[in-house]
mmCIF file of all heavy atoms in Angstrom:
data_model
loop_
_atom_site.group_PDB
_atom_site.id
_atom_site.type_symbol
_atom_site.label_atom_id
_atom_site.label_comp_id
_atom_site.label_asym_id
_atom_site.label_seq_id
_atom_site.Cartn_x
_atom_site.Cartn_y
_atom_site.Cartn_z
ATOM 1 N N GLU A 14 -14.643 -23.826 13.135
ATOM 2 C CA GLU A 14 -14.533 -24.263 11.740
ATOM 3 C C GLU A 14 -14.567 -25.785 11.644
ATOM 4 O O GLU A 14 -15.236 -26.354 10.760
ATOM 5 C CB GLU A 14 -13.234 -23.724 11.132
ATOM 6 C CG GLU A 14 -13.222 -22.203 10.989
ATOM 7 C CD GLU A 14 -11.844 -21.682 10.616
ATOM 8 O OE1 GLU A 14 -10.950 -22.509 10.353
ATOM 9 O OE2 GLU A 14 -11.661 -20.449 10.605
ATOM 10 N N LEU A 15 -13.853 -26.460 12.537
ATOM 11 C CA LEU A 15 -13.865 -27.926 12.541
ATOM 12 C C LEU A 15 -15.269 -28.439 12.853
ATOM 13 O O LEU A 15 -15.742 -29.419 12.255
ATOM 14 C CB LEU A 15 -12.865 -28.454 13.563
ATOM 15 C CG LEU A 15 -12.782 -29.982 13.709
ATOM 16 C CD1 LEU A 15 -12.452 -30.640 12.378
ATOM 17 C CD2 LEU A 15 -11.760 -30.363 14.769
ATOM 18 N N ARG A 16 -15.947 -27.780 13.772
ATOM 19 C CA ARG A 16 -17.305 -28.187 14.145
ATOM 20 C C ARG A 16 -18.239 -28.113 12.933
ATOM 21 O O ARG A 16 -19.089 -28.997 12.727
ATOM 22 C CB ARG A 16 -17.794 -27.291 15.277
ATOM 23 C CG ARG A 16 -19.043 -27.774 15.981
ATOM 24 C CD ARG A 16 -19.362 -26.908 17.179
ATOM 25 N NE ARG A 16 -18.446 -27.163 18.289
ATOM 26 C CZ ARG A 16 -17.567 -26.284 18.749
ATOM 27 N NH1 ARG A 16 -17.478 -25.086 18.213
ATOM 28 N NH2 ARG A 16 -16.787 -26.603 19.755
ATOM 29 N N LEU A 17 -18.078 -27.077 12.120
ATOM 30 C CA LEU A 17 -18.899 -26.955 10.912
ATOM 31 C C LEU A 17 -18.637 -28.112 9.953
ATOM 32 O O LEU A 17 -19.570 -28.665 9.353
ATOM 33 C CB LEU A 17 -18.603 -25.625 10.213
ATOM 34 C CG LEU A 17 -19.265 -24.370 10.773
ATOM 35 C CD1 LEU A 17 -18.740 -23.141 10.048
ATOM 36 C CD2 LEU A 17 -20.779 -24.457 10.636
ATOM 37 N N ARG A 18 -17.371 -28.488 9.797
ATOM 38 C CA ARG A 18 -17.051 -29.587 8.874
ATOM 39 C C ARG A 18 -17.556 -30.923 9.402
ATOM 40 O O ARG A 18 -17.970 -31.792 8.628
ATOM 41 C CB ARG A 18 -15.555 -29.634 8.613
ATOM 42 C CG ARG A 18 -15.039 -28.466 7.778
ATOM 43 C CD ARG A 18 -13.768 -28.819 7.038
ATOM 44 N NE ARG A 18 -12.671 -29.146 7.923
ATOM 45 C CZ ARG A 18 -11.919 -30.233 7.812
ATOM 46 N NH1 ARG A 18 -12.158 -31.112 6.859
ATOM 47 N NH2 ARG A 18 -10.926 -30.449 8.655
ATOM 48 N N VAL A 19 -17.507 -31.108 10.720
ATOM 49 C CA VAL A 19 -18.027 -32.347 11.297
ATOM 50 C C VAL A 19 -19.536 -32.428 11.088
ATOM 51 O O VAL A 19 -20.076 -33.468 10.693
ATOM 52 C CB VAL A 19 -17.670 -32.434 12.797
ATOM 53 C CG1 VAL A 19 -18.371 -33.626 13.446
ATOM 54 C CG2 VAL A 19 -16.164 -32.570 12.981
ATOM 55 N N ARG A 20 -20.238 -31.330 11.341
ATOM 56 C CA ARG A 20 -21.684 -31.318 11.116
ATOM 57 C C ARG A 20 -22.008 -31.587 9.647
ATOM 58 O O ARG A 20 -22.951 -32.316 9.322
ATOM 59 C CB ARG A 20 -22.267 -29.962 11.529
ATOM 60 C CG ARG A 20 -22.281 -29.693 13.013
ATOM 61 C CD ARG A 20 -22.897 -28.343 13.303
ATOM 62 N NE ARG A 20 -24.284 -28.292 12.875
ATOM 63 C CZ ARG A 20 -24.968 -27.159 12.759
ATOM 64 N NH1 ARG A 20 -24.379 -25.993 12.992
ATOM 65 N NH2 ARG A 20 -26.226 -27.178 12.393
ATOM 66 N N ASN A 21 -21.220 -30.983 8.766
ATOM 67 C CA ASN A 21 -21.449 -31.175 7.336
ATOM 68 C C ASN A 21 -21.259 -32.630 6.939
ATOM 69 O O ASN A 21 -21.916 -33.135 6.020
ATOM 70 C CB ASN A 21 -20.494 -30.286 6.542
ATOM 71 C CG ASN A 21 -20.714 -30.395 5.048
ATOM 72 O OD1 ASN A 21 -21.679 -29.866 4.503
ATOM 73 N ND2 ASN A 21 -19.822 -31.097 4.358
ATOM 74 N N GLN A 22 -20.368 -33.331 7.643
ATOM 75 C CA GLN A 22 -20.081 -34.716 7.297
ATOM 76 C C GLN A 22 -21.311 -35.616 7.484
ATOM 77 O O GLN A 22 -21.498 -36.583 6.750
ATOM 78 C CB GLN A 22 -18.920 -35.232 8.151
ATOM 79 C CG GLN A 22 -18.274 -36.491 7.617
ATOM 80 C CD GLN A 22 -17.378 -36.228 6.411
ATOM 81 O OE1 GLN A 22 -17.438 -35.177 5.788
ATOM 82 N NE2 GLN A 22 -16.542 -37.202 6.089
ATOM 83 N N PHE A 23 -22.156 -35.279 8.442
ATOM 84 C CA PHE A 23 -23.375 -36.069 8.634
ATOM 85 C C PHE A 23 -24.320 -35.902 7.446
ATOM 86 O O PHE A 23 -25.015 -36.835 7.056
ATOM 87 C CB PHE A 23 -24.078 -35.649 9.931
ATOM 88 C CG PHE A 23 -23.376 -36.119 11.170
ATOM 89 C CD1 PHE A 23 -22.566 -35.259 11.885
ATOM 90 C CD2 PHE A 23 -23.506 -37.427 11.610
ATOM 91 C CE1 PHE A 23 -21.912 -35.690 13.036
ATOM 92 C CE2 PHE A 23 -22.852 -37.864 12.749
ATOM 93 C CZ PHE A 23 -22.052 -36.999 13.465
ATOM 94 N N SER A 24 -24.316 -34.692 6.851
ATOM 95 C CA SER A 24 -25.144 -34.459 5.674
ATOM 96 C C SER A 24 -24.549 -35.117 4.441
ATOM 97 O O SER A 24 -25.254 -35.378 3.466
ATOM 98 C CB SER A 24 -25.287 -32.952 5.420
ATOM 99 O OG SER A 24 -25.815 -32.299 6.546
ATOM 100 N N ALA A 25 -23.240 -35.376 4.471
ATOM 101 C CA ALA A 25 -22.541 -35.908 3.299
ATOM 102 C C ALA A 25 -22.503 -37.426 3.261
ATOM 103 O O ALA A 25 -21.896 -38.009 2.375
ATOM 104 C CB ALA A 25 -21.106 -35.371 3.270
ATOM 105 N N VAL A 26 -23.182 -38.072 4.210
ATOM 106 C CA VAL A 26 -23.034 -39.516 4.341
ATOM 107 C C VAL A 26 -23.555 -40.274 3.122
ATOM 108 O O VAL A 26 -23.104 -41.374 2.827
ATOM 109 C CB VAL A 26 -23.744 -39.995 5.632
ATOM 110 C CG1 VAL A 26 -25.252 -39.872 5.499
ATOM 111 C CG2 VAL A 26 -23.331 -41.418 5.976
ATOM 112 N N ASN A 27 -24.505 -39.694 2.363
ATOM 113 C CA ASN A 27 -25.041 -40.408 1.202
ATOM 114 C C ASN A 27 -24.085 -40.425 0.022
ATOM 115 O O ASN A 27 -24.261 -41.209 -0.908
ATOM 116 C CB ASN A 27 -26.360 -39.780 0.768
ATOM 117 C CG ASN A 27 -26.185 -38.337 0.327
ATOM 118 O OD1 ASN A 27 -25.381 -37.613 0.895
ATOM 119 N ND2 ASN A 27 -26.926 -37.927 -0.684
ATOM 120 N N GLN A 28 -23.070 -39.535 0.022
ATOM 121 C CA GLN A 28 -21.968 -39.527 -0.944
ATOM 122 C C GLN A 28 -22.337 -39.081 -2.362
ATOM 123 O O GLN A 28 -23.278 -39.567 -2.970
ATOM 124 C CB GLN A 28 -21.294 -40.891 -1.012
ATOM 125 C CG GLN A 28 -20.617 -41.289 0.286
ATOM 126 C CD GLN A 28 -19.524 -40.337 0.728
ATOM 127 O OE1 GLN A 28 -18.621 -40.021 -0.035
ATOM 128 N NE2 GLN A 28 -19.601 -39.883 1.954
ATOM 129 N N TRP A 29 -21.562 -38.145 -2.845
ATOM 130 C CA TRP A 29 -21.376 -37.744 -4.241
ATOM 131 C C TRP A 29 -22.531 -37.027 -4.946
ATOM 132 O O TRP A 29 -22.461 -36.791 -6.125
ATOM 133 C CB TRP A 29 -20.970 -38.925 -5.131
ATOM 134 C CG TRP A 29 -19.898 -39.812 -4.584
ATOM 135 C CD1 TRP A 29 -19.862 -41.166 -4.647
ATOM 136 C CD2 TRP A 29 -18.706 -39.423 -3.919
ATOM 137 N NE1 TRP A 29 -18.752 -41.659 -4.057
ATOM 138 C CE2 TRP A 29 -18.003 -40.583 -3.581
ATOM 139 C CE3 TRP A 29 -18.153 -38.210 -3.525
ATOM 140 C CZ2 TRP A 29 -16.804 -40.589 -2.910
ATOM 141 C CZ3 TRP A 29 -16.946 -38.211 -2.848
ATOM 142 C CH2 TRP A 29 -16.292 -39.386 -2.556
ATOM 143 N N HIS A 30 -23.606 -36.697 -4.299
ATOM 144 C CA HIS A 30 -24.660 -36.041 -5.049
ATOM 145 C C HIS A 30 -25.236 -34.807 -4.361
ATOM 146 O O HIS A 30 -26.226 -34.266 -4.838
ATOM 147 C CB HIS A 30 -25.810 -37.031 -5.321
ATOM 148 C CG HIS A 30 -25.444 -38.112 -6.289
ATOM 149 N ND1 HIS A 30 -24.823 -39.267 -5.902
ATOM 150 C CD2 HIS A 30 -25.593 -38.196 -7.630
ATOM 151 C CE1 HIS A 30 -24.614 -40.041 -6.954
ATOM 152 N NE2 HIS A 30 -25.063 -39.419 -8.019
ATOM 153 N N THR A 31 -24.679 -34.367 -3.269
ATOM 154 C CA THR A 31 -25.272 -33.260 -2.541
ATOM 155 C C THR A 31 -24.258 -32.142 -2.329
ATOM 156 O O THR A 31 -23.045 -32.343 -2.422
ATOM 157 C CB THR A 31 -25.786 -33.716 -1.162
ATOM 158 O OG1 THR A 31 -24.666 -34.133 -0.369
ATOM 159 C CG2 THR A 31 -26.771 -34.866 -1.300
ATOM 160 N N ASP A 32 -24.799 -30.961 -2.003
ATOM 161 C CA ASP A 32 -23.930 -29.838 -1.677
ATOM 162 C C ASP A 32 -23.000 -30.181 -0.524
ATOM 163 O O ASP A 32 -21.836 -29.764 -0.497
ATOM 164 C CB ASP A 32 -24.771 -28.618 -1.304
ATOM 165 C CG ASP A 32 -25.495 -28.020 -2.497
ATOM 166 O OD1 ASP A 32 -25.276 -28.498 -3.627
ATOM 167 O OD2 ASP A 32 -26.287 -27.082 -2.293
ATOM 168 N N ALA A 33 -23.511 -30.921 0.454
ATOM 169 C CA ALA A 33 -22.712 -31.237 1.639
ATOM 170 C C ALA A 33 -21.462 -32.025 1.269
ATOM 171 O O ALA A 33 -20.377 -31.798 1.820
ATOM 172 C CB ALA A 33 -23.554 -32.014 2.644
ATOM 173 N N VAL A 34 -21.599 -32.954 0.338
ATOM 174 C CA VAL A 34 -20.437 -33.752 -0.075
ATOM 175 C C VAL A 34 -19.404 -32.866 -0.751
ATOM 176 O O VAL A 34 -18.201 -32.924 -0.445
ATOM 177 C CB VAL A 34 -20.884 -34.877 -1.028
ATOM 178 C CG1 VAL A 34 -19.667 -35.616 -1.584
ATOM 179 C CG2 VAL A 34 -21.789 -35.849 -0.297
ATOM 180 N N TYR A 35 -19.859 -32.040 -1.680
ATOM 181 C CA TYR A 35 -18.926 -31.156 -2.383
ATOM 182 C C TYR A 35 -18.310 -30.137 -1.421
ATOM 183 O O TYR A 35 -17.131 -29.809 -1.525
ATOM 184 C CB TYR A 35 -19.635 -30.453 -3.541
ATOM 185 C CG TYR A 35 -19.987 -31.384 -4.674
ATOM 186 C CD1 TYR A 35 -21.301 -31.518 -5.125
ATOM 187 C CD2 TYR A 35 -19.005 -32.149 -5.304
ATOM 188 C CE1 TYR A 35 -21.622 -32.381 -6.157
ATOM 189 C CE2 TYR A 35 -19.316 -33.011 -6.337
ATOM 190 C CZ TYR A 35 -20.632 -33.129 -6.764
ATOM 191 O OH TYR A 35 -20.939 -33.984 -7.782
ATOM 192 N N ARG A 36 -19.096 -29.655 -0.479
ATOM 193 C CA ARG A 36 -18.553 -28.715 0.509
ATOM 194 C C ARG A 36 -17.452 -29.377 1.325
ATOM 195 O O ARG A 36 -16.425 -28.762 1.629
ATOM 196 C CB ARG A 36 -19.665 -28.193 1.412
ATOM 197 C CG ARG A 36 -19.161 -27.213 2.478
ATOM 198 C CD ARG A 36 -20.285 -26.627 3.319
ATOM 199 N NE ARG A 36 -20.979 -25.574 2.585
ATOM 200 C CZ ARG A 36 -22.199 -25.672 2.095
ATOM 201 N NH1 ARG A 36 -22.868 -26.807 2.241
ATOM 202 N NH2 ARG A 36 -22.757 -24.674 1.454
ATOM 203 N N ALA A 37 -17.656 -30.636 1.699
ATOM 204 C CA ALA A 37 -16.644 -31.359 2.470
ATOM 205 C C ALA A 37 -15.353 -31.505 1.675
ATOM 206 O O ALA A 37 -14.249 -31.326 2.206
ATOM 207 C CB ALA A 37 -17.186 -32.733 2.876
ATOM 208 N N LEU A 38 -15.458 -31.819 0.381
ATOM 209 C CA LEU A 38 -14.271 -31.977 -0.456
ATOM 210 C C LEU A 38 -13.526 -30.657 -0.616
ATOM 211 O O LEU A 38 -12.294 -30.601 -0.523
ATOM 212 C CB LEU A 38 -14.683 -32.512 -1.834
ATOM 213 C CG LEU A 38 -15.132 -33.980 -1.905
ATOM 214 C CD1 LEU A 38 -15.794 -34.252 -3.247
ATOM 215 C CD2 LEU A 38 -13.945 -34.908 -1.703
ATOM 216 N N ILE A 39 -14.279 -29.589 -0.864
ATOM 217 C CA ILE A 39 -13.654 -28.295 -1.138
ATOM 218 C C ILE A 39 -13.036 -27.702 0.121
ATOM 219 O O ILE A 39 -11.908 -27.189 0.106
ATOM 220 C CB ILE A 39 -14.692 -27.319 -1.749
ATOM 221 C CG1 ILE A 39 -15.189 -27.856 -3.098
ATOM 222 C CG2 ILE A 39 -14.097 -25.929 -1.921
ATOM 223 C CD1 ILE A 39 -16.417 -27.128 -3.625
ATOM 224 N N SER A 40 -13.748 -27.787 1.245
ATOM 225 C CA SER A 40 -13.260 -27.161 2.479
ATOM 226 C C SER A 40 -12.113 -27.933 3.113
ATOM 227 O O SER A 40 -11.513 -27.461 4.076
ATOM 228 C CB SER A 40 -14.406 -27.009 3.487
ATOM 229 O OG SER A 40 -14.940 -28.267 3.850
ATOM 230 N N ALA A 41 -11.792 -29.106 2.589
ATOM 231 C CA ALA A 41 -10.619 -29.832 3.090
ATOM 232 C C ALA A 41 -9.318 -29.178 2.655
ATOM 233 O O ALA A 41 -8.261 -29.451 3.225
ATOM 234 C CB ALA A 41 -10.659 -31.285 2.609
ATOM 235 N N PHE A 42 -9.368 -28.281 1.665
ATOM 236 C CA PHE A 42 -8.167 -27.598 1.190
ATOM 237 C C PHE A 42 -7.823 -26.430 2.119
ATOM 238 O O PHE A 42 -8.718 -25.741 2.616
ATOM 239 C CB PHE A 42 -8.379 -27.074 -0.235
ATOM 240 C CG PHE A 42 -8.274 -28.133 -1.304
ATOM 241 C CD1 PHE A 42 -9.335 -28.991 -1.565
ATOM 242 C CD2 PHE A 42 -7.110 -28.288 -2.037
ATOM 243 C CE1 PHE A 42 -9.241 -29.973 -2.535
ATOM 244 C CE2 PHE A 42 -7.000 -29.269 -3.010
ATOM 245 C CZ PHE A 42 -8.067 -30.111 -3.261
ATOM 246 N N PRO A 43 -6.518 -26.192 2.368
ATOM 247 C CA PRO A 43 -6.115 -25.062 3.207
ATOM 248 C C PRO A 43 -6.642 -23.742 2.656
ATOM 249 O O PRO A 43 -6.657 -23.524 1.436
ATOM 250 C CB PRO A 43 -4.582 -25.106 3.148
ATOM 251 C CG PRO A 43 -4.246 -26.515 2.815
ATOM 252 C CD PRO A 43 -5.354 -26.998 1.921
ATOM 253 N N GLY A 44 -7.086 -22.882 3.559
ATOM 254 C CA GLY A 44 -7.565 -21.565 3.165
ATOM 255 C C GLY A 44 -9.030 -21.512 2.812
ATOM 256 O O GLY A 44 -9.555 -20.432 2.526
ATOM 257 N N VAL A 45 -9.708 -22.665 2.827
ATOM 258 C CA VAL A 45 -11.134 -22.717 2.488
ATOM 259 C C VAL A 45 -11.915 -23.133 3.728
ATOM 260 O O VAL A 45 -11.609 -24.159 4.342
ATOM 261 C CB VAL A 45 -11.422 -23.700 1.341
ATOM 262 C CG1 VAL A 45 -12.906 -23.684 0.997
ATOM 263 C CG2 VAL A 45 -10.585 -23.370 0.120
ATOM 264 N N GLN A 46 -12.926 -22.346 4.088
ATOM 265 C CA GLN A 46 -13.777 -22.680 5.219
ATOM 266 C C GLN A 46 -15.119 -23.206 4.720
ATOM 267 O O GLN A 46 -15.583 -22.845 3.641
ATOM 268 C CB GLN A 46 -13.995 -21.454 6.107
ATOM 269 C CG GLN A 46 -12.711 -20.913 6.712
ATOM 270 C CD GLN A 46 -12.946 -19.700 7.590
ATOM 271 O OE1 GLN A 46 -14.083 -19.277 7.792
ATOM 272 N NE2 GLN A 46 -11.880 -19.123 8.106
ATOM 273 N N SER A 47 -15.750 -24.041 5.536
ATOM 274 C CA SER A 47 -17.028 -24.639 5.135
ATOM 275 C C SER A 47 -18.068 -23.583 4.809
ATOM 276 O O SER A 47 -18.838 -23.716 3.856
ATOM 277 C CB SER A 47 -17.553 -25.554 6.252
ATOM 278 O OG SER A 47 -16.782 -26.720 6.356
ATOM 279 N N ASN A 48 -18.100 -22.517 5.622
ATOM 280 C CA ASN A 48 -19.100 -21.470 5.387
ATOM 281 C C ASN A 48 -18.659 -20.476 4.317
ATOM 282 O O ASN A 48 -19.326 -19.465 4.103
ATOM 283 C CB ASN A 48 -19.434 -20.734 6.684
ATOM 284 C CG ASN A 48 -18.216 -20.096 7.325
ATOM 285 O OD1 ASN A 48 -17.099 -20.216 6.819
ATOM 286 N ND2 ASN A 48 -18.414 -19.419 8.448
ATOM 287 N N GLY A 49 -17.551 -20.776 3.640
ATOM 288 C CA GLY A 49 -17.092 -19.921 2.550
ATOM 289 C C GLY A 49 -17.308 -20.539 1.184
ATOM 290 O O GLY A 49 -16.713 -20.098 0.202
ATOM 291 N N VAL A 50 -18.157 -21.575 1.118
ATOM 292 C CA VAL A 50 -18.461 -22.244 -0.151
ATOM 293 C C VAL A 50 -19.934 -22.002 -0.482
ATOM 294 O O VAL A 50 -20.820 -22.320 0.321
ATOM 295 C CB VAL A 50 -18.180 -23.756 -0.081
ATOM 296 C CG1 VAL A 50 -18.467 -24.415 -1.426
ATOM 297 C CG2 VAL A 50 -16.734 -24.013 0.343
ATOM 298 N N TYR A 51 -20.189 -21.423 -1.646
ATOM 299 C CA TYR A 51 -21.547 -21.070 -2.065
ATOM 300 C C TYR A 51 -21.854 -21.780 -3.390
ATOM 301 O O TYR A 51 -21.003 -21.831 -4.283
ATOM 302 C CB TYR A 51 -21.688 -19.560 -2.255
ATOM 303 C CG TYR A 51 -21.440 -18.760 -0.995
ATOM 304 C CD1 TYR A 51 -20.136 -18.477 -0.569
ATOM 305 C CD2 TYR A 51 -22.490 -18.294 -0.220
ATOM 306 C CE1 TYR A 51 -19.906 -17.756 0.588
ATOM 307 C CE2 TYR A 51 -22.268 -17.565 0.932
ATOM 308 C CZ TYR A 51 -20.977 -17.298 1.335
ATOM 309 O OH TYR A 51 -20.755 -16.574 2.474
ATOM 310 N N PHE A 52 -23.079 -22.299 -3.508
ATOM 311 C CA PHE A 52 -23.447 -23.073 -4.689
ATOM 312 C C PHE A 52 -24.463 -22.326 -5.552
ATOM 313 O O PHE A 52 -25.343 -21.625 -5.035
ATOM 314 C CB PHE A 52 -24.021 -24.431 -4.275
ATOM 315 C CG PHE A 52 -23.007 -25.346 -3.649
ATOM 316 C CD1 PHE A 52 -22.863 -25.398 -2.267
ATOM 317 C CD2 PHE A 52 -22.176 -26.131 -4.436
ATOM 318 C CE1 PHE A 52 -21.926 -26.220 -1.679
ATOM 319 C CE2 PHE A 52 -21.232 -26.967 -3.855
ATOM 320 C CZ PHE A 52 -21.104 -27.016 -2.479
ATOM 321 N N GLU A 53 -24.304 -22.492 -6.845
ATOM 322 C CA GLU A 53 -25.263 -21.968 -7.817
ATOM 323 C C GLU A 53 -25.829 -23.156 -8.592
ATOM 324 O O GLU A 53 -25.104 -23.871 -9.291
ATOM 325 C CB GLU A 53 -24.583 -20.990 -8.783
ATOM 326 C CG GLU A 53 -25.533 -20.411 -9.821
ATOM 327 C CD GLU A 53 -24.826 -19.534 -10.839
ATOM 328 O OE1 GLU A 53 -23.590 -19.680 -10.987
ATOM 329 O OE2 GLU A 53 -25.501 -18.720 -11.485
ATOM 330 N N HIS A 54 -27.135 -23.365 -8.439
ATOM 331 C CA HIS A 54 -27.796 -24.474 -9.115
ATOM 332 C C HIS A 54 -28.549 -23.949 -10.344
ATOM 333 O O HIS A 54 -28.362 -22.819 -10.760
ATOM 334 C CB HIS A 54 -28.746 -25.174 -8.133
ATOM 335 C CG HIS A 54 -28.051 -25.734 -6.930
ATOM 336 N ND1 HIS A 54 -27.232 -26.831 -6.979
ATOM 337 C CD2 HIS A 54 -28.031 -25.319 -5.629
ATOM 338 C CE1 HIS A 54 -26.750 -27.094 -5.777
ATOM 339 N NE2 HIS A 54 -27.220 -26.181 -4.926
ATOM 340 N N GLY A 55 -29.378 -24.791 -10.902
ATOM 341 C CA GLY A 55 -30.179 -24.363 -12.043
ATOM 342 C C GLY A 55 -29.469 -24.486 -13.365
ATOM 343 O O GLY A 55 -29.766 -23.741 -14.307
ATOM 344 N N ALA A 56 -28.520 -25.399 -13.461
ATOM 345 C CA ALA A 56 -27.820 -25.671 -14.725
ATOM 346 C C ALA A 56 -27.240 -24.410 -15.361
ATOM 347 O O ALA A 56 -27.576 -24.054 -16.489
ATOM 348 C CB ALA A 56 -28.767 -26.364 -15.704
ATOM 349 N N PRO A 57 -26.345 -23.699 -14.658
ATOM 350 C CA PRO A 57 -25.791 -22.458 -15.211
ATOM 351 C C PRO A 57 -24.938 -22.666 -16.455
ATOM 352 O O PRO A 57 -24.750 -21.748 -17.241
ATOM 353 C CB PRO A 57 -24.953 -21.904 -14.058
ATOM 354 C CG PRO A 57 -24.593 -23.102 -13.231
ATOM 355 C CD PRO A 57 -25.784 -24.001 -13.322
ATOM 356 N N ARG A 58 -24.397 -23.892 -16.632
ATOM 357 C CA ARG A 58 -23.571 -24.181 -17.809
ATOM 358 C C ARG A 58 -24.137 -25.340 -18.632
ATOM 359 O O ARG A 58 -23.418 -26.011 -19.343
ATOM 360 C CB ARG A 58 -22.138 -24.490 -17.373
ATOM 361 C CG ARG A 58 -21.384 -23.295 -16.808
ATOM 362 C CD ARG A 58 -20.011 -23.663 -16.238
ATOM 363 N NE ARG A 58 -20.161 -24.457 -15.022
ATOM 364 C CZ ARG A 58 -19.982 -25.762 -14.961
ATOM 365 N NH1 ARG A 58 -19.635 -26.439 -16.039
ATOM 366 N NH2 ARG A 58 -20.144 -26.419 -13.819
ATOM 367 N N GLY A 59 -25.433 -25.566 -18.491
ATOM 368 C CA GLY A 59 -26.060 -26.647 -19.239
ATOM 369 C C GLY A 59 -26.587 -27.731 -18.313
ATOM 370 O O GLY A 59 -26.352 -27.707 -17.095
ATOM 371 N N PRO A 60 -27.309 -28.726 -18.847
ATOM 372 C CA PRO A 60 -27.908 -29.791 -18.028
ATOM 373 C C PRO A 60 -26.882 -30.507 -17.157
ATOM 374 O O PRO A 60 -25.786 -30.838 -17.611
ATOM 375 C CB PRO A 60 -28.497 -30.740 -19.078
ATOM 376 C CG PRO A 60 -28.726 -29.881 -20.277
ATOM 377 C CD PRO A 60 -27.619 -28.869 -20.279
#
């Protein structure tokens, strides 16, 4: 699990606009694993 978060951190280096960044923020909480975060794009709640 830690290895997944470390790998994700390399994808998150550009900061604040990618799935990798949001995954890193969310999976830092207890009980949440990096591979347990799924994204839905396409403006599901508006632009």
